[in-house]
Amino acid sequence: MGITNRQGAKGNPAMRLTKDLHRAVHDAKARLRATKGMGRKDYLKRGKDEIRIMYRSMQEVLVENKKDITQNQLRQMRKQAIKFAKKNKCY
């Protein structure tokens, strides 16, 4: 796993994960979506809500369970995602 300043698709903040961690984060995200009656491929209309789901899933997998990143690193990534969403008027 690596934390990078490299920007993802069209400037979206990105994080490089191993295949197993990537799968674990997306599985956690799917569980959170299911609690809202959503399927794995369903998305919320507001970017703010999507960021919240991704943050919670990364919190569970990368901070609490695996301890691959710190809480502060996760907060910084969330700030970058919010800044990107606001810039693109989807927050």
Side-chain angles (χ1 to χ4, degrees), residues 49-66:
D49 297 325
E50 284 297 320
I51 290 170
R52 186 174 292 127
I53 285 177
M54 182 55 81
Y55 180 83
R56 288 182 183 162
S57 62
M58 291 173 76
Q59 170 77 32
E60 176 186 319
V61 174
L62 301 176
V63 178
E64 295 170 4
N65 293 346
K66 303 289 186 185

Side-chain angles (χ1 to χ4, degrees), residues 8-47:
K10 298 182 182 176
N12 196 8
M15 176 183 215
R16 184 178 61 244
L17 300 174
T18 65
K19 188 182 278 189
D20 290 340
L21 286 175
H22 182 87
R23 186 177 302 119
V25 168
H26 281 284
D27 288 347
K29 191 168 63 168
R31 284 192 304 276
L32 287 169
R33 288 185 189 290
T35 65
K36 298 180 179 296
M38 301 170 67
R40 192 178 271 269
K41 303 253 182 198
D42 293 333
Y43 294 93
L44 297 163
K45 290 183 180 182
R46 293 177 21 178

